[in-house]
Amino acid sequence: MENYKKIAAPAEPRVELHDALGLTGAEVSINRMAAGTQVPFVHSHKQNEEIYGFLAGRGTMTIDGEPVAVAEGDWMRVAPAAKRQLAAAADSDLAYICIQVREGSLQQMTATDAVI
């Protein structure tokens, strides 16, 4: 049995890693938005919090009607019930990673889960 799986992610607007890596505890996507575009819907979740890591560019995440500026280097956690929509700035592409995990499911962190 192989204890790891490695892929090269294609340069597409959205790449979901769940199936490609055989993930069992999280959903991870790599996203690229062209300047002036936005996610075409507002959404929330039933159970999953989302963690966004902004890799390049600038934009606005509207959360429960409140616009929040985001830029390269920013990280954000969004609670499941929050209504969210992300938009790239008019003059800037936006690249980010989105990690979805079940809220409250973290049992152990590296310091308590590592076997040395």
Side-chain angles (χ1 to χ4, degrees):
M1 181 177 134
E2 203 172 278
N3 284 326
Y4 69 92
K5 185 165 186 181
K6 177 183 173 187
I7 65 161
E12 296 176 1
R14 181 174 174 88
V15 177
E16 294 185 3
L17 299 179
H18 180 266
D19 291 334
L21 290 175
L23 302 178
T24 63
E27 174 63 76
V28 180
S29 63
I30 304 165
N31 304 271
R32 296 171 182 85
M33 297 176 70
T37 63
Q38 68 180 13
V39 173
F41 51 85
V42 175
H43 76 285
S44 61
H45 287 275
K46 296 174 185 171
Q47 298 180 28
N48 295 341
E49 64 188 10
E50 289 182 320
I51 300 98
Y52 292 85
F54 296 94
L55 306 175
R58 295 179 295 103
T60 302
M61 174 78 82
T62 302
I63 303 170
D64 293 332
E66 178 185 343
V68 179
V70 296
E72 180 178 334
D74 289 346
W75 286 84
M76 174 184 287
R77 179 223 178 237
V78 181
K83 291 178 173 66
R84 71 214 66 181
Q85 185 176 31
L86 184 59
D91 62 348
S92 177
D93 292 349
L94 185 62
Y96 63 97
I97 293 174
C98 181
I99 304 164
Q100 251 189 74
V101 294
R102 186 172 181 176
E103 184 178 46
S105 65
L106 184 62
Q107 299 288 315
Q108 300 176 17
M109 295 177 287
T110 302
T112 57
D113 189 51
V115 179
I116 299 175

